[in-house]
Amino acid sequence: MERKRWTWWVSASLVILMFALTGCQNLQGLDVSQAFQNSAAVKSGESRGSLQLELVPGDQTAFTANEKAIFNALKNVKLELTNVAMQDKQHLSVNGALTYSKGTIPFQASLDETQIVLQIEGAKQPIFFDLTDAERGSMPSPLTADMQKQIMDKAESLSPAILKFIIANAPNPSQIAVSSVSEQVYQETLSLQKLHLEIKGSELVGLLKTFLTNIIADDKGLKELIGQLYDVLAPIIKEEMKRSATENEFASPFPDLMMAYLDNKTLAVEFVYTTIQQGLQKVLKDWNQNVESSLSSIRDDQVKAFLSDKTVLKTDLFIDGDKQIRKVNAELSFPIADAKSGISAVKLTFVNETWNVNKPVKAASIAITDDALDLSEAPFYGSAILNYFKKDSQAYSLLRNDLQVAKEDIHLLMSTNDDADEYSFYDASHPFINEDNISMLPVRFLSERLGATVKWDDTAKQIIVKDDLTEKTIVFTLNSKSAQVNGTTVALESAAILKNGSTFVPLRFIAEQMGCKIVFDDQTQSVNLTRQ
């Protein structure tokens, strides 16, 4: 319960941190709310910017040499977008680079309808994925594919209405000011209005309360938003309910009640409005008592640090005469409470400028070649990710040496030969000592854990292991005391055997061939395999 409580507070605070960039009032004649709406409604344009992550060092006396190397490599990382061309909301291209202490990795990306294609320097092929796959997710949906598509298509029309309502009720932070300035945007000097604001973590709870209070008071705005949601979603929901009813002869009476609400907009809007109002009023009724109870129960030092004066967001928004946001400079810094982390604070810096707003822009496209990698189907984690990059590339070096994605530390309990016979579940991951006093391990378990591919040749009774990381192809033949390593015959301490449906091979041999360091612990009857 405690974790849920403080997680809710942090989540709510982050929302307010984003939307407290403006309030419901005009500031010195500057209609900030309209500027946000206009920028959200931009149909085409070009921009450039960057997002920089800086880690401020703390006490690193307990760091190992390896941990220091990782910190030094990643203490200042910058994602720079040198050109973003938005032809329309469904066609976009990006040129950019990821820079860190040891080098730069250029990349290009494009969005064409729902397909995103990414070409990273050093990658063996383009990488692509479809946004509709991401929207559907891995969990089955009760909605038909057609209904999901309709909702996605309508989402764009709902966004301005939702944004307008949120901004209209978002509170102003205590430090906010407007001034007239001359700023260069791309290659042009413009006369702009500069909105400067600062928000501290200690303000978030108060801003959240004001935000909820404003929503309760905004009867007209809330009902208008609910009405717009009804206009977009009700026809789709009704269609889906009718389809479900015809397919299910045992349908419950609940859909009939729901359909009555959906057929009457006034009734539906009033029902949703009343439900929201009652919920918010209940939250605010005992606000001070609940907030005090929630905050006093927080034991996580990091949450307390985030809600302190040491967390600061500073933002400058530059707005032109057409009420378009043309430039943004933002900085967020917050402390790290865990002294053992070796990091005292994190600083995020975001800058962006936009030009050619709503003018004709042509987005570049990246072709999906026959060998392009479909991210929804290919493994993209651990050492498997290295297979998609050239070994002499900066991207490979970042992943292998700096992020250490191939690093594995595998701890296995040994079992006796008798144990292995009696308990078949040992064969999944437990090595055993055979009659030759040799530790045997399922070849597929270790190989796939380390990102290698494993194939079985039933005709030749061979199992073939291909490890791109070590550039080795290892072939084991059942009941043979030799193996082939890149075509060369190598003797084995004990023959590969088939046991309970798994092929077991000498543990030391396969582990060392795949670059692992092996440590046996006789006292605990276990073995540790480590690969950097």
Side-chain angles (χ1 to χ4, degrees), residues 417-466:
N417 194 27
D418 291 339
D419 287 335
D421 288 332
E422 185 176 355
Y423 302 109
S424 62
F425 66 81
Y426 275 140
D427 294 347
S429 61
H430 289 60
F432 73 93
I433 300 174
N434 67 7
E435 60 276 4
D436 296 329
N437 202 33
I438 301 299
S439 298
M440 305 290 286
L441 180 74
V443 63
R444 184 177 294 275
F445 166 78
L446 180 62
S447 301
E448 293 184 344
R449 176 74 179 267
L450 296 176
T453 59
V454 182
K455 293 183 179 179
W456 169 253
D457 185 337
D458 190 57
T459 302
K461 302 302 178 186
Q462 292 179 330
I463 193 162
I464 304 161
V465 179
K466 184 177 181 181

Side-chain angles (χ1 to χ4, degrees), residues 327-364:
K327 193 171 184 177
V328 178
N329 295 331
E331 177 187 302
L332 171 64
S333 59
F334 55 90
I336 299 298
D338 184 4
K340 296 180 181 179
S341 69
I343 303 170
S344 63
V346 174
K347 180 180 176 182
L348 288 167
T349 305
F350 173 74
V351 298
N352 183 73
E353 56 183 7
T354 305
W355 63 97
N356 284 341
V357 178
N358 290 325
K359 295 181 179 179
V361 172
K362 181 67 175 176

Side-chain angles (χ1 to χ4, degrees), residues 28-255:
Q28 300 177 24
L30 176 60
D31 190 344
V32 186
S33 176
Q34 189 61 54
F36 269 87
Q37 292 179 63
N38 289 347
S39 294
V42 167
K43 299 186 181 301
S44 64
E46 293 183 81
S47 64
R48 65 182 179 185
S50 65
L51 177 64
Q52 186 169 2
L53 168 67
E54 298 178 64
L55 304 178
V56 181
D59 183 4
Q60 299 183 351
T61 54
F63 267 23
T64 64
N66 188 49
E67 288 171 334
K68 287 182 179 178
I70 294 175
F71 177 85
N72 290 331
L74 303 178
K75 65 181 179 182
N76 196 326
V77 178
K78 187 175 185 180
L79 178 65
E80 190 164 12
L81 306 181
T82 53
N83 182 264
V84 179
M86 183 173 73
Q87 182 174 323
D88 53 50
K89 292 292 181 70
Q90 294 183 318
H91 296 85
L92 183 81
S93 63
V94 179
N95 288 329
L98 178 71
T99 300
Y100 71 116
S101 64
K102 295 187 178 181
T104 297
I105 305 170
F107 66 88
Q108 294 83 41
S110 68
L111 167 66
D112 186 358
E113 301 291 344
T114 61
Q115 256 183 358
I116 293 180
V117 187
L118 182 65
Q119 179 65 69
I120 304 172
E121 185 175 279
K124 296 176 181 177
Q125 67 257 68
I127 301 167
F128 75 95
F129 63 97
D130 199 298
L131 289 175
T132 54
D133 294 335
E135 288 287 339
R136 283 191 290 266
S138 58
M139 297 296 291
S141 171
L143 306 179
T144 63
D146 181 62
M147 185 174 180
Q148 291 182 59
K149 185 177 185 305
Q150 289 184 62
I151 293 175
M152 288 178 63
D153 291 341
K154 296 291 186 179
E156 185 175 336
S157 64
L158 285 174
S159 297
I162 296 172
L163 181 63
K164 178 182 178 181
F165 176 76
I166 291 175
I167 291 177
N169 291 287
N172 285 329
S174 57
Q175 297 189 50
I176 186 168
V178 174
S179 59
S180 298
V181 296
S182 292
E183 279 284 327
Q184 186 165 354
V185 177
Y186 192 46
Q187 299 175 348
E188 184 180 8
T189 300
L190 302 175
S191 295
L192 304 169
Q193 292 288 94
K194 173 185 172 183
L195 172 67
H196 174 78
L197 61 88
E198 295 184 20
I199 305 171
K200 294 182 178 180
S202 56
E203 296 180 65
L204 295 178
V205 173
L207 290 171
L208 176 59
K209 180 181 181 181
T210 304
F211 180 60
L212 298 180
T213 302
N214 290 344
I215 290 177
I216 290 178
D218 188 11
D219 292 345
K220 180 180 178 182
L222 182 56
K223 287 184 178 180
E224 182 180 326
L225 175 62
I226 296 171
Q228 289 171 305
L229 292 171
Y230 174 92
D231 291 338
V232 171
L233 297 178
I236 302 174
I237 297 173
K238 288 165 67 175
E239 178 185 334
E240 179 65 15
M241 289 179 64
K242 290 177 181 178
R243 183 196 63 79
S244 298
T246 58
E247 295 178 0
N248 184 6
E249 58 180 321
F250 301 105
S252 70
F254 176 73

Side-chain angles (χ1 to χ4, degrees), residues 283-311:
V283 169
L284 290 173
K285 180 180 179 181
D286 300 313
W287 176 268
N288 292 335
Q289 180 181 340
N290 291 336
V291 168
E292 184 178 345
S293 173
S294 296
L295 295 179
S296 62
S297 68
I298 294 175
R299 298 177 184 176
D300 192 298
D301 291 336
Q302 185 55 55
V303 177
K304 292 179 180 178
F306 183 81
L307 296 176
S308 73
D309 285 343
K310 292 183 179 180
T311 295

